[in-house]
Amino acid sequence: MTNNEEQQFLAELDKKLWNAADKLRSTLDASQYKHTVLGLVFLKYVSDAFKIRQDELTEQFKNPDHDYYLDPEDFGGEDSEEYAEELKVELEQRDYYAEVNVFWVPAAARWQFLQDNNKTVIGGAELKLPDGSTKKFSSVGHLIDNALEQIEADNQKLKGVLNKLYTRLQIDQAKLGELIDLIATIPFNHASLNSKDILGHVYEYMLGQFALAEGKKGGQYYTPKSIVSLIVQMLEPFKGRVYDPAMGSGGFFVQSEHFINAHKGKIGDVSIYGQEYNHTTWQLAAMNMVIRGIDFNFGKEPANTYTNDQHPDLRADYVMANPPFNMKEWDTGVSENDPRWKYGTPPSGNANFAWLQHMLYHLAPNGAMGLLLSNGSMSSNTNNEGAIRKKLIEEDLIECMVALPGQLFTNTQIPACIWFLTKNKGARTAASGRQLRDRRGKVLFIDARNLGYMKDRVLRDFTTDDLNKVTNAFHNWQMGEEYEDVAGFVKSAKIEEIQKHDHVLTPGRYVGAADQEEDSELFAEKMARLTAQLKGQFEESDRLEAEIKQNLAGLGYDC
């Protein structure tokens, strides 16, 4: 949790970022300026991180007590050109950056080079590059694209990932130069905030704002942080393979990293696998991982999860996703006999149970998964959905159902729920160290519809206490410690009880209504009090009516 000073710093950063987007709003649509701004923010961040490491190295080279000390006397003295040149050469050695997981930035891609030359290249100009060669640039966009190409060439993980679109942008070059100068004022260094955390805030804020600006289309890649946090907290992905088949910009992976760090774990103990169909969103996710130093496998290319599974042999320990709700016509080119449809063929008109079964197919024997689906998935009997849900219940794969409040999403008002499934509800030790009891034949239902608060006029959010309340109920039930049903909120139900409800999984059916406080007032006394109160109200009404008539008569009206 950030303190007040950090929150103020981030709030001011938000304002600068959105001002940067405003520079382009009149000339580019939302989807274009999203990538234009985020691409430049990426360049600024990697340059800042590189410069911070350069400054550290400079101090180490000059510190006699450090292993990297360069003795000036070996190079003609502290003020000699030879010593200055040696320092310069050492600062360009890639190994110094790789050893502390700092992203390597070629000289012509560093922010200072862009800022120093963005005015010069308007209309075209030949520039001397840091390596001493010269190159003709046709525009500011060309200067930026060149920087991105250099970064890709020197960082294989980003091959084909960066959005080199700036030369093609139909935009005033001077305005693009102004944007560079504005982003130059965004600081990625702070006394107590980690630069990667600042960048994470930048990405989260910008993706959220762009989701609002783009409307429904924006939601294909943005899941509210509170929902991602809830799923990650409940699953606790400490160790093993983590998979998201509809990863968007990689929010589940980023939140998993935060969770692991907060609990003193090691991000190296987790392997990241993802898939995404939208090419630009796939690019955002890869950038998101690279700048955080998270190793990842997003397949060879952006691809359709159903027709071009990028991880066919993967069996993940944790699967988390927010797939598109109620997706239609998803099955073109997909066989009815696909091995993923173990529990029934999903209908063409709705992909909800296709996503769920795809995730189950990729789940390891002791794995756990959580996915967001629309509320209809809990009760629909249309086109085989009821039969699939019945089989999932009777195969004892469902562990927990969470009903969410409305207005959590920027781009849809469709009510949502979270499904948690596992292939092993037997007693065992989880990766987190929790001792799980035998939960076979039981399902936990949590009704969280009354939790949260309105953060603005249209959007609801969860507090930390809300997240902890749901998470604790789930974990306590898993371990069999300090758990008890709470009317109106949580209920542990046996499969036999679910069968009596025709295999409907809506939590409200099971948790019931919240207990009302017992009324200590005797019925006869309450009736007498309320009757007297009502009589008094009638008398007051009569008095006010008489007074109104008298006033109207004084004005000449016939009452």
Side-chain angles (χ1 to χ4, degrees), residues 546-559:
E547 189 174 316
I548 290 168
K549 286 180 178 179
Q550 184 179 348
N551 290 337
L552 289 173
L555 294 172
Y557 290 96
D558 184 9
C559 297

Side-chain angles (χ1 to χ4, degrees), residues 362-374:
H362 284 289
L363 191 65
N366 285 328
M369 61 179 263
L371 79 158
L372 276 157
L373 289 178
S374 66

Side-chain angles (χ1 to χ4, degrees), residues 393-394 440-443 493-503 510:
I393 292 165
E394 294 184 345
R440 286 176 291 189
K442 298 173 184 174
V443 176
K494 293 182 178 179
I495 287 179
E496 292 79 9
E497 187 177 348
I498 299 171
Q499 289 169 336
K500 290 177 184 176
H501 284 277
D502 296 323
H503 301 93
Y510 301 92

Side-chain angles (χ1 to χ4, degrees), residues 40-95:
L40 285 171
V41 167
F42 168 79
L43 278 173
K44 175 66 163 62
Y45 166 75
V46 294
S47 292
D48 278 15
F50 188 86
K51 181 67 167 60
I52 290 169
R53 178 57 178 159
Q54 269 197 330
D55 292 343
E56 286 176 355
L57 286 168
T58 300
E59 288 183 15
Q60 290 167 2
F61 294 149
K62 294 182 177 182
N63 181 358
D65 297 325
H66 199 278
D67 291 343
Y68 290 163
Y69 176 59
L70 293 175
D71 190 341
E73 298 308 315
D74 294 340
F75 303 96
E78 193 169 346
D79 299 323
S80 69
E81 286 186 18
E82 185 184 355
Y83 181 59
E85 187 61 30
E86 185 62 26
L87 284 174
K88 188 176 177 181
V89 169
E90 288 295 315
L91 285 171
E92 294 298 321
Q93 300 303 308
R94 185 191 292 260
D95 289 348

Side-chain angles (χ1 to χ4, degrees), residues 57-308:
L57 286 168
T58 300
E59 288 183 15
Q60 290 167 2
F61 294 149
K62 294 182 177 182
N63 181 358
D65 297 325
H66 199 278
D67 291 343
Y68 290 163
Y69 176 59
L70 293 175
D71 190 341
E73 298 308 315
D74 294 340
F75 303 96
E78 193 169 346
D79 299 323
S80 69
E81 286 186 18
E82 185 184 355
Y83 181 59
E85 187 61 30
E86 185 62 26
L87 284 174
K88 188 176 177 181
V89 169
E90 288 295 315
L91 285 171
E92 294 298 321
Q93 300 303 308
R94 185 191 292 260
D95 289 348
Y96 288 127
Y97 302 87
E99 69 183 5
V100 291
N101 206 24
V102 168
F103 195 87
W104 174 261
V105 184
R110 293 170 198 168
W111 193 264
Q112 195 61 52
F113 184 77
L114 297 184
Q115 201 173 355
D116 289 344
N117 293 291
N118 74 75
K119 305 291 191 301
T120 309
V121 296
I122 294 175
E126 190 167 73
L127 295 181
K128 184 177 181 180
L129 300 179
D131 64 2
S133 64
T134 59
K135 183 171 182 174
K136 186 169 179 58
F137 291 92
S138 60
S139 63
V140 180
H142 188 191
L143 186 71
I144 299 168
D145 282 345
N146 179 71
L148 294 170
E149 285 165 6
Q150 296 247 344
I151 284 177
E152 273 198 359
D154 269 16
N155 297 273
Q156 286 304 305
K157 269 288 187 182
L158 284 176
K159 191 70 176 173
V161 164
L162 300 182
N163 217 345
K164 302 178 289 295
L165 50 71
Y166 294 86
T167 305
R168 302 192 303 273
L169 286 177
Q170 300 297 312
I171 186 174
D172 178 7
Q173 293 296 299
K175 185 165 283 191
L176 197 53
E178 287 176 30
L179 182 59
I180 289 174
D181 290 339
L182 178 59
I183 291 177
T185 66
I186 297 174
F188 283 109
N189 56 323
H190 184 271
S192 56
L193 285 170
N194 183 287
S195 59
K196 289 181 182 178
D197 290 335
I198 297 172
L199 183 75
H201 175 86
V202 166
Y203 260 79
E204 184 181 321
Y205 173 78
M206 294 299 277
L207 290 173
Q209 290 298 106
F210 285 128
L212 283 170
E214 291 181 76
K216 185 176 181 181
K217 184 182 175 186
Q220 60 184 278
Y221 60 84
Y222 183 73
T223 309
K225 180 183 175 185
S226 58
I227 298 178
V228 177
S229 297
L230 179 60
I231 292 174
V232 170
Q233 276 188 205
M234 291 176 75
L235 290 183
E236 298 185 304
F238 272 111
K239 187 179 293 185
R241 293 149 297 190
V242 177
Y243 173 53
D244 183 347
M247 67 183 179
S249 58
F252 280 108
F253 305 136
V254 172
Q255 205 56 43
S256 296
E257 180 204 22
H258 290 327
F259 176 83
I260 291 166
N261 290 339
H263 291 80
K264 311 301 181 190
K266 296 178 181 176
I267 192 64
D269 288 342
V270 171
S271 302
I272 299 296
Y273 297 84
Q275 181 154 349
E276 172 59 40
Y277 178 71
N278 181 288
H279 185 266
T280 50
T281 308
W282 181 82
Q283 291 173 311
L284 280 177
M287 287 165 59
N288 225 349
M289 298 302 102
V290 169
I291 55 188
R292 287 178 165 83
I294 300 175
D295 196 24
F296 65 95
N297 181 344
F298 291 165
K300 294 179 181 178
E301 59 191 351
N304 184 311
T305 301
Y306 297 119
T307 57
N308 189 4

Side-chain angles (χ1 to χ4, degrees), residues 481-549:
E481 297 176 1
E482 301 178 21
Y483 172 80
E484 60 181 39
D485 292 343
V486 178
F489 175 58
V490 62
K491 162 80 174 179
S492 179
K494 293 182 178 179
I495 287 179
E496 292 79 9
E497 187 177 348
I498 299 171
Q499 289 169 336
K500 290 177 184 176
H501 284 277
D502 296 323
H503 301 93
V504 169
L505 293 173
T506 307
R509 287 207 178 193
Y510 301 92
V511 303
D515 292 334
Q516 301 294 316
E517 286 188 25
E518 188 176 337
D519 193 344
S520 58
E521 188 175 11
L522 294 175
F523 176 79
E525 292 175 357
K526 178 185 274 191
M527 194 65 185
R529 176 175 61 78
L530 292 175
T531 302
Q533 187 177 328
L534 183 61
K535 181 183 177 184
Q537 289 171 343
F538 280 145
E539 290 173 351
E540 178 65 9
S541 175
D542 291 341
R543 186 188 67 76
L544 290 172
E545 184 179 358
E547 189 174 316
I548 290 168
K549 286 180 178 179

